[in-house]
Amino acid sequence: MRYFIRSAAVAIAMAAASTLSLSAAMAADISGAGATFPYPIYAKWADAYKKETGIGLNYQSIGSGGGIKQIKAKTVTFGASDAPLKGEDLKSTGLAQFPMVMGGIVPVVNLEGVKPGELVLDGPTLADIFVGEITNWNDEAIKKLNPDVKLPDQAIAVVHRSDGSGTTFNFSYYLAEVSADWKSKVGVNTALEWPVGIGAKGNEGVANNVAQTGGAIGYVEYAYAKQNKLTSTDLINKDGKKVEPTAAAFSAAAANADWSSKPGYGVILANQAGAASWPMTSATWILVYQKPDDAAATTEALKFFAWSYAKGDDMAAELDYVPMPDAVVKSVEEMWSKDIVDSNGKPLYSGM
């Protein structure tokens, strides 16, 4: 199956700036904005697509909340969000939504002497840290999970997102699944009233803050952990098994997803069953208008997405993202040909 991918440890060629602009501004270029979660793979796809077609992508990595605002304001051709819009929102706005790629959210820490994979956490303990109940790294709850790790007597510095974020939505969704305390005190949303910690903008900002702060813990998309050489933790999943963050573990979480069960393919992959499943797995979605004002621009965007589905799997695997299954891609492209049309009702997408 296409979505069962080997894990690959490769460097990410990713600009330090949070705006992807892979060509000079041209009328043919595609404009988008939103989630920071998929930025590394969108950058990689865009570079290859530019070389093959001459058409560039200008993608603003500003967070899911910003992407939703910009597509609703019609300032970009597409929006990108890791928190799917609900069916009623799609209907009221005239937007179509589809998943582009999947990946994993990982806890990352900055603890002297602790290497990636040496520390393990479970959901309730992670929730207690981010709710402020556990404040020191040598707390008994952490020591119980890590009897062979030398844990420092050091205060925990919590780092979280400050912007509207689909990564935060999926992170908080998982914590609400495993912790009644988190569910009642904090809840689930793209932006939260955080009980503790310091805020940072984007996956980039959280990664940088954790890297620079001794005793820190944060949460980022896995590609950012790799690119910044951060120490990711293992997790105990729903089946009680210790799992590492790998593309195979992200794939296992998505294996039984029923993508047709939610409007706009809005399936949440957090806390999925399965011995090999990574508990903080997420898809990321694209938003375009069903009847766009600029049909030509949306047509170019759909061509880019179709190309990425068809030719981008290996690039996604290199960055430990998980491509969408063949059946989902087929369903999405059928949706395009039926639902995304010009002012005369003619489909904008007719296949590659």
Side-chain angles (χ1 to χ4, degrees):
M1 293 184 182
R2 296 164 73 247
Y3 55 87
F4 190 80
I5 313 293
R6 60 176 176 80
S7 178
V10 296
I12 301 170
M14 189 166 64
S18 64
T19 299
L20 163 64
S21 185
L22 296 175
S23 67
M26 296 168 55
D29 285 355
I30 304 158
S31 66
T36 66
F37 178 97
Y39 173 82
I41 187 56
Y42 288 178
K44 196 173 185 72
W45 283 341
D47 183 57
Y49 190 72
K50 168 70 175 177
K51 290 174 181 176
E52 184 172 319
T53 68
I55 296 172
L57 172 68
N58 189 308
Y59 181 73
Q60 301 171 53
S61 177
I62 58 174
S64 298
I68 292 170
K69 287 179 181 178
Q70 287 214 24
I71 188 62
K72 287 184 175 180
K74 301 184 178 181
T75 57
V76 290
T77 302
F78 72 89
S81 176
D82 306 327
L85 294 186
K86 295 181 179 179
E88 55 265 31
D89 295 329
L90 295 170
K91 187 175 181 180
S92 66
T93 55
L95 288 165
Q97 173 179 272
F98 53 91
M100 201 65 222
V101 71
M102 298 174 284
I105 300 165
V106 298
V108 288
V109 300
N110 184 343
L111 291 174
E112 187 175 353
V114 176
K115 298 176 182 178
E118 287 186 348
L119 191 73
V120 62
L121 296 170
D122 59 16
T125 302
L126 188 63
D128 284 348
I129 291 171
F130 277 83
V131 87
E133 293 293 331
I134 294 176
T135 60
N136 197 292
W137 281 110
N138 67 357
D139 188 275
E140 287 301 321
I142 304 175
K143 288 168 66 175
K144 185 176 180 180
L145 291 165
N146 299 275
D148 299 323
V149 177
K150 187 177 180 180
L151 293 164
D153 182 7
Q154 183 177 18
I156 298 173
V158 170
V159 183
H160 56 73
R161 291 285 289 272
S162 61
D163 52 333
S165 161
T167 305
T168 294
F169 173 83
N170 285 282
F171 181 71
S172 61
Y173 187 100
Y174 168 65
L175 295 185
E177 285 274 303
V178 297
S179 168
D181 197 35
W182 178 275
K183 188 174 183 179
S184 63
K185 291 182 178 179
V186 185
V188 180
N189 212 327
T190 55
L192 302 170
E193 292 293 330
W194 293 93
V196 294
I198 58 173
K201 188 175 181 180
N203 273 278
E204 304 96 331
V206 173
N208 290 335
N209 270 267
V210 171
Q212 295 168 12
T213 307
I217 185 170
Y219 57 96
V220 296
E221 196 281 320
Y222 185 53
Y224 288 86
K226 290 178 64 176
Q227 192 268 339
N228 289 278
K229 297 182 173 60
L230 297 177
T231 299
S232 57
T233 78
D234 291 353
L235 286 174
I236 305 297
N237 67 15
K238 191 173 186 176
D239 282 23
K241 303 296 184 182
K242 176 184 174 182
V243 286
E244 300 176 15
T246 65
F250 308 153
S251 295
N256 297 315
D258 181 3
W259 294 96
S260 63
S261 65
K262 298 287 185 180
Y265 306 90
V267 176
I268 306 301
L269 300 173
N271 204 34
Q272 294 292 306
S277 296
W278 181 254
M280 290 197 295
T281 300
S282 173
T284 189
W285 289 264
I286 298 295
L287 295 162
V288 296
Y289 279 97
Q290 292 183 319
K291 188 177 286 187
D293 292 341
D294 189 339
T298 300
T299 299
E300 289 301 327
L302 294 181
K303 288 179 180 178
F304 170 72
F305 298 136
W307 179 94
S308 300
Y309 279 145
K311 298 185 178 182
D313 285 9
D314 288 344
M315 286 178 272
E318 287 171 358
L319 300 184
D320 290 286
Y321 289 93
V322 179
M324 299 308 300
D326 286 337
V328 178
V329 172
K330 181 180 179 182
S331 174
V332 167
E333 293 184 340
E334 288 174 351
M335 181 273 289
W336 292 349
S337 65
K338 182 181 66 173
D339 292 347
I340 304 176
V341 300
D342 64 17
S343 59
N344 297 317
K346 181 181 179 181
L348 299 185
Y349 176 80
S350 56
M352 290 187 67

